[in-house]
Amino acid sequence: MVTKLEELIQKAKDGKKRTLSVAVAQDKPVLEAVTEAVKLGIVDAILVGDEEKIKEICEKENYSLDNIKIVNEKDIIKAAAKAVEFVSKGQADFIMKGMLGTAPLLKAVLNKEANLRGNSLLSHVMIYGVKTYPKLIFLTDGGMVPYPELKDKIEIINNAAKVAHALGIDNPKVAPLCAVEVVNPSMQATVDAAALSQMNKRGQMKGCIIEGPLALDNAISKEAAEHKGIHSPVAGEADILLVPNIEAGNLLGKSLTYFAGAENAGIIVGAKCPVVLVSRADSAKSKLYSIALGALAVK
């Protein structure tokens, strides 16, 4: 079971080597992470983009392009489509976003001709390593679904649980986060949390343990939960934090990064292959962790 982000590297190296297709690869931080991932033996890579700029960056920064394939395509939209095509044809296993927006990349991924549409809702899963927490914490969804309804939250949890399973966490503990710990009909997040918990207890949602509503302190602190008289297998031991909306996820994630100094890894799941989606503000190490996570999440 992976308990620290750095363990993603070794687990990915120990598993089946995957091939990563990078869309619009002429981006320094992305090239730094990808070339390091190839050097470590985590993945093989196909770089789709402006070949001249890719080589210029790599030569300037002394990044090795050994055993890396470059496909020259200067048009951003065509480069995204080509990167996706490598996965569609079985020549690559997953995709990474380079120097382009998220929307055009996902449009290429979801194009019917690409045949990468899965049966699940696309959702974003971030994993954080926080020094004050004894294990990895999963955060979802702070990047894809703005205001998820109950039906969306079911799929978001299922997606996150599958990622946890890929890391050896067989029965992740899920905390649907709310402002309070009791069901309040005026607060939809608490109603949804109670419904998710009941569905889990009845066996309608498997592969995880769901307990809520829980406030953030009760989800991650046993002391806080005990002080409030909350007795739950999830309280103080949450693996997955389900946020009520995209703003909550965005704020919590950036708080972990900037206030707590947490490192992270992030992917989009729900399609037939993972999509490595990183922020430009993320460190090169976080980008490397994201590639390792994507490799492990390949079905």
Side-chain angles (χ1 to χ4, degrees), residues 75-87:
D75 183 275
I76 289 176
I77 302 303
K78 289 181 179 178
K82 188 66 178 179
V84 168
E85 185 181 340
F86 281 114
V87 178

Side-chain angles (χ1 to χ4, degrees), residues 97 101-107 109-110 120-126 139-149 152-153 155-156 159 242-250 266-271 273-278:
K97 182 174 85 78
T102 301
L105 178 60
L106 292 182
K107 184 177 181 181
V109 170
L110 295 176
S120 301
L121 178 75
L122 263 62
S123 59
H124 196 232
V125 178
M126 289 293 292
L139 178 64
T140 192
D141 174 346
M144 282 295 296
V145 187
Y147 302 104
E149 299 177 5
D152 302 320
K153 292 177 181 179
E155 295 196 60
I156 289 170
N159 283 345
L242 173 72
V243 294
N245 55 54
I246 199 169
E247 283 95 350
N250 183 281
I267 56 174
I268 293 175
V269 290
C273 75
V275 179
V276 177
L277 186 70
V278 292

Side-chain angles (χ1 to χ4, degrees), residues 183-249:
V183 178
N184 182 336
S186 299
M187 302 173 74
Q188 187 59 43
T190 67
V191 177
D192 290 349
L196 291 166
S197 300
Q198 191 63 26
M199 291 174 71
N200 179 242
K201 290 174 183 176
R202 290 182 173 181
Q204 292 174 256
M205 296 183 67
K206 301 178 180 180
C208 61
I209 301 171
I210 306 172
E211 186 72 44
L214 287 173
L216 177 61
D217 55 347
N218 306 315
I220 62 173
S221 169
K222 288 185 178 180
E223 291 78 9
E226 289 173 1
H227 183 72
K228 292 187 177 181
I230 297 172
H231 303 286
S232 156
V234 175
E237 296 187 8
D239 295 295
I240 299 172
L241 302 178
L242 173 72
V243 294
N245 55 54
I246 199 169
E247 283 95 350

Side-chain angles (χ1 to χ4, degrees), residues 16-27:
K16 181 179 179 181
K17 184 184 278 191
R18 305 295 186 177
T19 298
L20 172 65
S21 177
V22 185
V24 193
Q26 59 267 23
D27 179 82

Side-chain angles (χ1 to χ4, degrees), residues 9-75:
I9 304 296
Q10 189 59 52
K11 189 170 181 63
K13 288 173 69 175
D14 291 342
K16 181 179 179 181
K17 184 184 278 191
R18 305 295 186 177
T19 298
L20 172 65
S21 177
V22 185
V24 193
Q26 59 267 23
D27 179 82
K28 177 183 173 295
V30 168
L31 287 170
E32 180 179 2
V34 172
T35 54
E36 182 66 14
V38 172
K39 180 181 176 182
L40 291 171
I42 298 171
V43 294
D44 291 324
I46 303 170
L47 306 178
V48 184
D50 189 319
E51 183 173 9
E52 183 178 346
K53 290 182 179 179
I54 291 170
K55 288 183 174 179
E56 182 181 325
I57 293 169
C58 290
E59 183 177 350
K60 180 180 179 181
E61 302 298 332
N62 199 29
Y63 300 152
S64 174
L65 288 170
D66 291 346
N67 302 314
I68 294 177
K69 179 179 180 179
I70 300 177
V71 177
N72 187 39
E73 179 52 74
K74 295 184 179 181
D75 183 275

